Amino acid sequence: MSPTQDPLSSQSFAEAEGGRFAGWRNLPRRSRGLSLRTLVILRWMAIAGQSATIFVATAWFHFDLPLWGCLAVIAASVAMNLNATARLKRSDGSATDGTLTAAHLGFDILQLSLLLALTGGLQNPFCLLLVAPVTVAAASLPGRQAALMGLLVLLATVGMFFFSMPLPWQAGTELQLPTLYRFGIGLALITGVVFTAAYAWRVAADAEKLELALATTQDVLQREQRLAALGGLAAAAAHELGTPLATIQVVARELLREAAKGGAAAEDAALILSQAERCREILKRLSQQPEEGDAAFAEVDLKALLEEVVEPHRGFDLAFEVKVRTASGEAAPRVRRLPEVVHGLSTLVENAADFANGRVRVQAMVDAGFIEIEVVDDGPGFPADILPRLGEPYVTSRPQGKARRALAAQIAASVAAATPGRKGRKPARAAPAPEPEAIAPSQGGMGLGFFIARTLLERTGGKVAVGPGDGGRGRPRGARVAVRWPRPALEVPPS
């Protein structure tokens, strides 16, 4: 058993994961940037900080700064922000734009680099602030644009190493740091930019994966709820159509009784009566589907619930064992048929069927306080490197090529059997083709199935635990997944 991709997962997940580090052009589009309003607020904060620093250095410490040059650089940033503010009033400031974000962050890097070059370059302790724009880019921009921001900082660092004005200091003194020390500061700055940006990139990647997986979980749950609502709608329609259909049958019988035997009218009346009876049978089956809010269908016997989740996976050369054990031999309780429980348990059984060698056991154990359902298979078990991370999205050990190979073998065998020999020639005897392996319900995936199942089951109050199965020495150890609920969370109170 292993976490697996749910059949309902969309192709977008495969596109988002596939080729993640397959080259510069294939870097993933992690996000679409920041909103213009956020960029404007951040730049006003930077302008305020730069202006305050220039004022304190000049008025308080009496440093000999190139004041007009510094003010001109800050004024350029003010003009940029005023233009962005005017644009903000004409558009939706909450919309995100990756290209616009990259342009604004690039301007901020150049503006800060020029201001630092006027005030000592790499000797200025505020050169550490160059880390901030690249970190923001790594967390909010597509990969190529974030890399461009990092490259821009690298070029600015190299430029400040060779071209910068002396560090402003008190009048009559000059502070000149050694070249090797300035080289070390530049190297430390570049290293800090790389590590901080990589950290922000990785955090943003994990957050996006979790967001996508949670969105898939919500889609799965909504689908189950829509199916339940559709069943209720069908039952309601069957109930409403029953009355007019009964009227049609009464009228058809009257027409059949009054019509001459063997005549056209009698045949038409008999046809109407037979078709009305057929409609009644269809409506009767529809009315037997679960109706939302109907206690007769919202609750099921515990063993019936287990049979429901196992039934779709029978028929793949596997032996399924379904058992219910109670503490004192009492009757199994009736439980709520929750869509989350049905889907979650179905995914666990599907995983077991995919990895089992020949046997899957689904067993419920009921005691005074808890209901526990476990799914055990006789497969290879959980790999040691995956077991600590089970429950996270995109964690899987599923053999992704197995289904494709089996499907290709089945198609090849079907084509060979359907292709006739050439006319006039006796077909040569071919060696018997190997029997293709049966394709299990779901093989191949990206590890979202177990994450979705665990999320849904825990929403109902269950606790999911994983571990080795029952395999002893000389046998595959297998895998075991158990879900444990407090009885009130799942059991229907006795009436």
Side-chain angles (χ1 to χ4, degrees):
M1 234 177 332
S2 172
T4 179
Q5 166 71 21
D6 188 88
L8 298 173
S9 299
S10 64
Q11 187 179 0
S12 62
F13 288 100
E15 295 173 353
E17 277 293 292
R20 188 159 48 138
F21 300 106
W24 174 268
R25 186 174 299 276
N26 293 327
L27 284 173
R29 299 189 62 86
R30 171 143 305 124
S31 179
R32 296 184 351 183
L34 301 175
S35 66
L36 185 57
R37 179 177 290 107
T38 300
L39 294 170
V40 168
I41 293 174
L42 291 177
R43 184 173 294 111
W44 282 129
M45 294 171 61
I47 291 171
Q50 293 169 1
S51 302
T53 303
I54 297 296
F55 174 78
V56 171
T58 303
W60 185 269
F61 292 105
H62 305 288
F63 287 167
D64 186 16
L65 293 172
L67 185 59
W68 292 110
C70 294
L71 293 179
V73 174
I74 295 176
S77 186
V78 171
M80 180 73 171
N81 228 27
L82 290 176
N83 178 66
T85 303
R87 181 177 178 178
L88 183 62
K89 295 178 180 179
R90 299 192 302 266
S91 62
D92 181 13
S94 61
T96 59
D97 188 334
T99 303
L100 182 63
T101 300
H104 279 263
L105 291 177
F107 172 83
D108 291 337
I109 291 173
L110 294 176
Q111 188 262 356
L112 180 58
S113 300
L114 184 56
L115 191 60
L116 289 171
L118 292 173
T119 55
L122 294 180
Q123 300 179 89
N124 191 327
F126 287 101
C127 64
L128 182 64
L129 293 176
L130 284 172
V131 174
V134 183
T135 304
V136 173
S140 62
L141 286 180
R144 286 176 290 179
Q145 295 176 354
L148 285 175
M149 296 300 102
L151 180 61
L152 191 57
V153 168
L154 174 62
L155 295 176
T157 303
V158 173
M160 286 189 294
F161 179 79
F162 292 103
F163 309 102
S164 64
M165 297 183 66
L167 180 68
W169 206 246
Q170 295 177 347
T173 60
E174 181 179 351
L175 180 63
Q176 184 65 36
L177 298 177
T179 302
L180 182 59
Y181 188 82
R182 290 190 297 114
F183 176 79
I185 293 177
L187 184 60
L189 176 60
I190 294 174
T191 304
V193 166
V194 171
F195 276 92
T196 306
Y199 177 80
W201 174 268
R202 189 62 209 173
V203 170
D206 290 343
E208 185 181 27
K209 284 183 178 181
L210 185 60
E211 181 181 356
L212 290 173
L214 288 175
T216 304
T217 303
Q218 294 293 336
D219 290 342
V220 169
L221 182 57
Q222 290 175 5
R223 180 179 180 274
E224 294 288 342
Q225 292 172 341
R226 285 197 298 268
L227 289 176
L230 186 61
L233 182 61
H239 177 74
E240 294 295 331
L241 291 174
T243 301
L245 187 60
T247 304
I248 293 175
Q249 287 182 303
V250 170
V251 174
R253 288 193 182 94
E254 293 293 332
L255 293 175
L256 181 60
R257 187 180 301 113
E258 295 177 359
K261 291 184 179 181
E267 292 180 0
D268 291 341
L271 179 61
I272 293 174
L273 192 60
S274 64
Q275 293 302 308
E277 186 61 31
R278 181 185 176 190
C279 290
R280 179 173 289 279
E281 290 297 324
I282 294 174
L283 294 178
K284 182 179 179 181
R285 290 197 300 269
L286 286 176
S287 65
Q288 292 174 349
Q289 298 300 317
E291 182 176 349
E292 188 175 8
D294 191 341
F297 298 107
E299 58 185 61
V300 294
D301 185 75
L302 182 56
K303 187 168 185 179
L305 177 66
L306 301 185
E307 292 287 354
E308 179 182 354
V309 300
V310 166
E311 185 60 33
H313 308 288
R314 295 186 187 273
F316 293 97
D317 298 328
L318 293 174
F320 283 89
E321 181 182 2
V322 179
K323 297 195 307 184
V324 177
R325 294 169 50 192
T326 57
S328 57
E330 60 185 5
R334 293 185 66 81
V335 296
R336 298 180 179 88
R337 189 189 177 279
L338 302 175
E340 299 95 324
V341 174
V342 173
H343 182 84
L345 293 178
S346 296
T347 300
L348 299 183
V349 174
E350 177 184 317
N351 290 343
D354 286 349
F355 282 85
N357 291 323
R359 183 177 62 88
V360 176
R361 185 179 79 246
V362 182
Q363 178 175 276
M365 290 162 287
V366 183
D367 57 26
F370 295 93
I371 297 176
E372 180 174 303
I373 298 176
E374 67 174 14
V375 181
V376 184
D377 66 64
D378 61 349
F382 295 115
D385 59 329
I386 285 182
L387 190 58
R389 297 185 292 125
L390 277 178
E392 299 178 11
Y394 305 99
V395 175
T396 181
S397 63
R398 184 178 299 277
Q400 302 205 16
K402 184 177 179 183
R404 289 192 291 271
R405 292 194 303 269
L407 181 60
Q410 290 181 2
I411 292 175
S414 300
V415 171
T419 303
R422 291 187 177 180
K423 185 176 182 181
R425 294 184 58 185
K426 185 177 180 179
R429 292 185 62 185
E435 183 178 352
E437 56 182 321
I439 299 179
S442 172
Q443 293 171 349
M446 300 178 339
L448 281 178
F450 188 82
F451 169 79
I452 293 173
R454 180 171 185 168
T455 302
L456 293 175
L457 292 170
E458 289 181 348
R459 286 183 59 172
T460 64
K463 298 295 182 183
V464 181
V466 296
D470 301 333
R473 180 173 299 179
R475 295 185 300 167
R477 64 175 181 175
R480 174 181 179 271
V481 179
V483 191
R484 187 177 178 88
W485 291 270
R487 287 189 65 159
L490 201 60
E491 183 180 10
V492 176
S495 55

